[in-house]
Amino acid sequence: CTNCPLQPDCYAFNHQKVSYFPVKNKKKNSTKVFHDYFFFEFNQHTFIQKRKHDGIWKNLYEFPLIENTKQLSKDNILNHPNLQIWVDEKEFNIKSIKSYKHILSHRLIFARFWHLKCNKMIKHPSLKKINMKDLDNYAVSRLTEKYLHDIRI
């Protein structure tokens, strides 16, 4: 402040209130959300969908998703109507479940990625079947990218 050309006209300097400026807005509270992603694997293929909702992830690809405002138990997830639609009561084995915490400016995402090895083909109009080797050709969120890196795909 001592070398500032605006000093003669500066209210804060002239009233010894420099420490009060600039006014810092309080940080907004982040909304907590819980994402359960499903990495279905069938004969070296997986299934993705394009995100259509508005937001920073619009038009990015993602694994099938169940989104909640609270974390669901393993039993609640395995009996969730969406999962039952996707797997259509077909047999699968849980290969792994990985958890992540992802911080955005307005959201705190607690994500779980369920790697499910399916014994039968999944057919659902909103899901796109792709070869697992081709996952790098699709734009995904940083969260999904971290997961794919961790499982070495």
Side-chain angles (χ1 to χ4, degrees), residues 53-67:
H53 304 296
D54 285 337
I56 61 169
W57 291 352
K58 183 176 182 174
N59 291 325
L60 295 180
Y61 286 90
E62 65 184 1
F63 296 114
L65 166 68
I66 295 174
E67 186 172 345

Side-chain angles (χ1 to χ4, degrees), residues 1 6 16-18 32 35 39 42 49 57 62 69 76-78 88 92 97 99 119 122 136 138 151-152:
C1 288
L6 301 175
Q16 289 78 39
K17 296 192 179 214
V18 173
K32 289 182 182 179
H35 287 184
F39 177 44
F42 176 74
Q49 58 192 4
W57 291 352
E62 65 184 1
T69 56
N76 285 343
I77 289 292
L78 295 176
D88 194 28
F92 62 86
I97 304 170
S99 297
N119 299 326
I122 296 171
D136 285 343
Y138 294 87
I151 64 169
R152 308 287 188 254

Side-chain angles (χ1 to χ4, degrees), residues 20-101:
Y20 296 102
F21 296 95
V23 175
K24 294 184 177 145
N25 294 330
K26 291 184 178 179
K27 191 175 180 180
K28 293 181 181 178
N29 289 339
S30 297
T31 305
K32 289 182 182 179
V33 290
F34 298 85
H35 287 184
D36 284 283
Y37 290 99
F38 296 90
F39 177 44
F40 296 116
E41 180 183 342
F42 176 74
N43 289 345
Q44 296 301 309
H45 288 85
T46 191
F47 302 84
I48 57 174
Q49 58 192 4
K50 196 172 207 176
R51 190 168 179 93
K52 301 203 185 312
H53 304 296
D54 285 337
I56 61 169
W57 291 352
K58 183 176 182 174
N59 291 325
L60 295 180
Y61 286 90
E62 65 184 1
F63 296 114
L65 166 68
I66 295 174
E67 186 172 345
N68 286 289
T69 56
K70 62 180 176 142
Q71 185 153 17
L72 298 179
S73 69
K74 183 177 177 180
D75 286 339
N76 285 343
I77 289 292
L78 295 176
N79 292 312
H80 196 280
N82 287 8
L83 182 60
Q84 293 176 358
I85 288 170
W86 294 322
V87 293
D88 194 28
E89 299 180 25
K90 292 179 175 53
E91 295 178 30
F92 62 86
N93 297 317
I94 300 173
K95 201 168 175 183
S96 67
I97 304 170
K98 292 195 176 286
S99 297
Y100 296 85
K101 180 179 171 182

Side-chain angles (χ1 to χ4, degrees), residues 1 4-15:
C1 288
C4 179
L6 301 175
Q7 183 191 57
D9 298 319
C10 179
Y11 176 87
F13 184 81
N14 292 327
H15 291 90

